[in-house]
Amino acid sequence: MTRKMISYFTLAFCLFLFLSPYVHSERCPFPYGQQLDYTFYDRTCSHLPMIVKYNVWAALKNDTRMAASLLRMHFHDCIVDGCEGSVLLDDTEDFRGEKNAPPNRNSLRGFEVIDNIKTDLERFCPSTVSCADILTLAAREAVVLSGGPNWNVPLGRRDGTTASEKAAIDQIPSPIESLQKITAKFTSKGLDIKDVVVLSGGHTLGFAQCFTFKRRLFNFDGSGNPDPTLDSSVLTNLQSMCPNKDAANSNLAPLDSSTYRFDNVYYTNLVNNAGLLESDQALVKDPNTAAMVNSYSGNPFLFSQDFAASMVKLGNVGVLTGKKGQIRKRCGSVNS
């Protein structure tokens, strides 16, 4: 289905809802609340959830990798100076932002999905819904449509007006950083060690580029040999996907064997020494986190429940509300 057809369908369906005498569609000025609220857009853009859901569904139908991409983009937005949509901003003459910072360059995907949602919303609820809220909702829908848990998303975030390449470099956890350093980055945002373990479980979806873990395959810790803790059959398979040459750096390997399904296989892999990233496998080497990994590997319901709770916490990090920030008309640029 083409983007134009999707847009026409969305417009027609939304128009039906807006014109229906049985659906409340009163439109009021944007409410300047001081904190997030589950009913924030009920009066000003009541069809927001449907518009987000449909666009994410269409994106996943076109590209099954998109669920992981949207979830990752939301995390990279929130972990850098809070959930204020700064990761969506294009670079300008005045600043180099997060979108093309080294941890995100040629890696983050799905910006067009957020832009499409924003375009549809601007037709029906102009200057009302923030890009930060759109991204937060899109991440939730991506998880749900992949078989993961649902959770209520408090809304009312406003968009930041700047972004920092340096902040992205400093604050986004690296797959080769120690668990101690990664935990410190989480705790600086009001998250905790449990959130590290739970949100790492988002790696149940998607792929990683070979350069992010290749040293485990050929030269672990400068030894000239593979990581001795990596399962031998997994090692052989990964070495075939990621040969030891620069041309293979951008090749993709699945983060777990159920790449497109939200489940607890990620934790089962860690218990079996089959985790892909160093930062993931490190979770079973530390007694503070190993018990949680073992628990989630045997209890998918508990993982889903805790993942939903941690996503709500993540979505509340560093939000702008009230009159702070703005409601961008385009997600890639601040309002003139």
Side-chain angles (χ1 to χ4, degrees):
M1 185 181 291
T2 67
R3 170 63 193 157
K4 183 177 289 186
M5 292 172 64
I6 290 170
S7 184
Y8 285 155
F9 178 89
T10 305
L11 285 168
F13 188 54
C14 289
L15 186 59
F16 164 78
L17 290 175
F18 268 93
L19 295 177
S20 171
Y22 304 105
V23 179
H24 176 65
S25 61
E26 179 181 350
R27 296 173 63 186
C28 310
F30 190 86
Y32 285 110
Q34 293 303 311
Q35 50 189 315
L36 304 184
D37 191 296
Y38 294 111
T39 63
F40 194 80
Y41 296 110
D42 281 6
R43 290 168 62 85
T44 57
C45 196
S46 60
H47 309 305
L48 165 65
M50 182 278 298
I51 292 172
V52 173
K53 184 186 289 289
Y54 181 78
N55 274 275
V56 173
W57 173 83
L60 267 62
K61 193 169 181 62
N62 182 58
D63 178 0
T64 49
R65 289 177 56 199
M66 193 54 67
S69 299
L70 292 172
L71 179 58
R72 183 166 181 260
M73 191 194 301
H74 174 55
F75 174 77
H76 280 217
D77 181 40
C78 293
I79 208 69
V80 181
D81 296 335
C83 309
E84 25 78 286
S86 55
V87 73
L88 303 170
L89 287 173
D90 297 321
D91 291 345
T92 72
E93 293 181 357
D94 298 324
F95 68 85
R96 292 179 61 85
E98 300 167 29
K99 182 182 281 191
N100 292 303
N104 295 331
R105 186 185 309 132
N106 300 321
S107 174
L108 280 192
R109 310 168 66 245
F111 294 102
E112 72 282 2
V113 179
I114 305 303
D115 289 341
N116 291 342
I117 295 170
K118 183 62 172 175
T119 297
D120 285 344
L121 288 170
E122 285 299 301
R123 291 191 180 103
F124 296 104
C125 317
S127 301
T128 299
V129 181
S130 68
C131 299
D133 274 345
I134 291 170
L135 181 52
T136 305
L137 287 168
R140 192 267 308 271
E141 292 306 323
V143 170
V144 171
L145 290 170
S146 301
N150 198 351
W151 61 91
N152 293 325
V153 177
L155 299 166
R157 296 165 191 80
R158 288 169 66 82
D159 297 321
T161 55
T162 188
S164 167
E165 179 184 47
K166 183 179 185 302
I169 294 170
D170 292 343
Q171 298 175 34
I172 294 175
S174 162
I176 61 172
E177 281 186 311
S178 69
L179 179 58
Q180 183 179 16
K181 288 184 177 180
I182 290 173
T183 302
K185 291 182 176 183
F186 273 66
T187 55
S188 72
K189 308 298 178 183
L191 304 171
D192 56 31
I193 188 69
K194 181 178 180 180
D195 297 312
V196 173
V197 179
V198 174
L199 293 175
S200 293
H203 288 166
T204 181
L205 298 172
F207 295 78
Q209 295 186 63
C210 289
F211 78 88
T212 62
F213 60 87
K214 198 161 71 170
R215 76 174 193 170
R216 293 191 74 196
L217 311 183
F218 302 102
N219 188 27
F220 185 64
D221 282 348
S223 65
N225 296 305
D227 182 349
T229 66
L230 185 60
D231 178 84
S232 58
S233 62
V234 173
L235 173 63
T236 300
N237 186 41
L238 289 175
Q239 286 178 332
S240 68
M241 287 190 281
C242 300
N244 193 18
K245 45 189 170 185
D246 290 344
N249 283 347
S250 60
N251 290 1
L252 298 175
L255 284 160
D256 80 11
S257 55
S258 58
T259 313
Y260 304 115
R261 186 172 67 251
F262 190 98
D263 54 28
N264 68 331
V265 170
Y266 164 84
Y267 296 104
T268 304
N269 287 350
L270 298 187
V271 171
N272 295 326
N273 292 317
L276 185 64
L277 304 178
E278 287 179 47
S279 56
D280 290 336
Q281 196 60 52
L283 295 175
V284 296
K285 298 178 181 179
D286 187 297
N288 294 316
T289 55
M292 285 184 276
V293 170
N294 284 313
S295 180
Y296 294 139
S297 71
N299 192 335
F301 175 78
L302 179 63
F303 166 51
S304 290
Q305 184 180 51
D306 287 352
F307 186 83
S310 286
M311 285 296 289
V312 172
K313 286 180 67 177
L314 175 68
N316 290 343
V317 170
V319 297
L320 302 176
T321 59
K323 296 185 178 180
K324 297 177 182 177
Q326 61 180 211
I327 304 299
R328 288 187 216 138
K329 295 179 180 179
R330 289 183 60 256
C331 291
S333 60
V334 298
N335 299 340
S336 56

